Amino acid sequence: MELRELARRALSKTTWADKAALLDQVGMDTPVDVVRAFEAVGFIPGRPPVALVPPAGLGLRSVHTLEGRAILLHALAHIEFNAINLALDVVWRFSDMPEEFYRQWMGVAIEEASHFQMLETHLNTLGYRYGDFPAHDGLWEMAERTQDDVLARLALVPRTLEARGLDASPAVRHKLASGGDPKGAGIIDIILRDEIGHVAIGNYWYRWLCTSRDLEPVQTYAELAAQYRAPVLKGPFNIEARLAAGFEPEEIVALQKENERPKEGARGHIEQRN
Ligand SMILES: [Fe+2]
Ligand SMILES: [Fe+2]
């Protein structure tokens, strides 16, 4: 099957297993139709029935309890399930990009599926499964808001929400390790390594689009962040990971300055990460 068609179908599947079965078909020789504008198919995004609530409705428990750790792992699994859908959505929705763009985002979808599987398998060993706790929908809301422009999508999803995951990783890892879960902490190490790659792909194609549209990347990001009500990211920032993912030092300085400004300038309320 053609790669973008495959992405569109995988996006509409509601279970990890059905998505993974389609992703297993992807190979180096899978053809890519870069020009076709696809109609949406099925229920998008396909996902299991998870109760969606505002961020304030999420339960918070100490990670020193089994339930507290399960809630944290469940939140991470939810982020990864969304991340599979977000990568697939980029592949089918936006046409007229180079073939390598689609192959790289399909590779991201495959890695996100492996992250979800690792987290869910671990959650199962604690006696829980994905869907047992409520979750919030900030990631997919941003996908909907940016559905008409690939530049805005890359600015706001991989370069904002996914990059937020790089910043959050050390604290999440510490929570799991100090809660007596070395297995969970090890999964976070793998995810952080892969996520640096995802954000790097986001940075590469964001800059590629800025060049082709004759836009200045740093100023353009500030404008898109305001236009699409990006969340103001809170420190501490994982500067080492951000540099490894291709952010320029001046972008990190801009982020820190924005973070230090009085809070009445906050652009939005989404507290999300991947
Ligand atoms: Fe991930
Ligand atoms: Fe990712």
Side-chain angles (χ1 to χ4, degrees):
M1 198 189 306
E2 190 275 329
L3 189 97
R4 294 177 61 214
E5 174 69 35
L6 222 148
R8 184 177 72 144
R9 292 194 192 184
L11 177 59
S12 71
K13 298 291 181 193
T14 57
T15 67
W16 175 86
D18 286 345
K19 288 182 195 292
L22 284 166
L23 295 178
D24 276 349
Q25 295 179 26
V26 176
M28 295 295 289
D29 55 351
T30 304
V32 185
D33 182 344
V34 303
V35 292
R36 186 172 157 199
F38 290 83
E39 294 285 316
V41 66
F43 181 67
I44 290 182
R47 58 187 168 197
V50 174
L52 295 171
V53 295
L58 299 175
L60 277 179
R61 303 269 191 292
S62 164
V63 287
H64 294 281
T65 66
L66 181 71
E67 191 188 26
R69 260 198 297 139
I71 287 172
L72 176 58
L73 290 165
H74 187 277
L76 298 171
H78 178 69
I79 288 165
E80 298 296 347
F81 204 94
N82 270 281
I84 306 170
N85 284 340
L86 289 166
L88 292 171
D89 194 65
V90 167
V91 175
W92 84 266
R93 189 180 296 278
F94 302 108
S95 52
D96 299 319
M97 292 293 285
E99 183 177 317
E100 192 57 19
F101 174 87
Y102 302 103
R103 293 201 188 279
Q104 288 189 357
W105 285 110
M106 193 55 123
V108 171
I110 291 167
E111 283 189 354
E112 305 294 18
S114 82
H115 296 168
F116 174 81
Q117 187 190 25
M118 282 189 284
L119 288 164
E120 187 165 60
T121 302
H122 188 44
L123 192 59
N124 294 159
T125 66
L126 305 186
Y128 295 88
R129 62 184 178 79
Y130 183 46
D132 280 352
F133 299 106
H136 69 92
D137 205 23
L139 285 167
W140 192 257
E141 282 170 9
M142 190 58 90
E144 291 196 335
R145 232 183 269 171
T146 55
Q147 62 183 299
D148 294 325
D149 183 11
V150 64
L151 181 70
R153 173 66 63 85
L154 297 181
L156 278 291
V157 177
R159 298 185 84 248
T160 301
L161 301 182
E162 254 188 310
R164 180 73 191 103
L166 305 181
D167 301 328
S169 262
V172 171
R173 189 194 189 287
H174 177 72
K175 270 189 190 176
L176 289 168
S178 68
D181 187 355
K183 171 84 182 159
I187 293 173
I188 300 302
D189 288 336
I190 297 169
I191 291 177
L192 175 60
R193 181 201 64 197
D194 292 346
E195 293 303 331
I196 289 172
H198 302 175
V199 177
I201 290 170
N203 269 321
Y204 176 85
W205 290 108
Y206 172 78
R207 286 174 202 287
W208 186 93
L209 279 161
C210 282
T211 302
S212 72
R213 296 186 191 180
D214 202 16
L215 295 168
E216 196 288 309
V218 177
Q219 181 57 32
T220 299
Y221 176 77
E223 288 165 12
L224 290 169
Q227 183 184 346
Y228 289 91
R229 305 189 311 283
V232 175
L233 301 184
K234 293 196 190 96
F237 300 107
N238 190 339
I239 292 171
E240 190 187 339
R242 282 181 174 269
L243 289 171
F247 282 103
E248 296 293 333
E250 65 173 310
E251 292 176 297
I252 294 170
V253 170
L255 195 63
Q256 286 167 325
K257 273 197 188 140
E258 179 71 28
N259 193 240
E260 284 158 12
R261 273 178 26 186
K263 292 302 171 222
E264 69 266 23
R267 288 182 297 244
H269 64 276
I270 297 173
E271 286 303 321
Q272 253 304 1
R273 60 178 187 265
N274 162 38

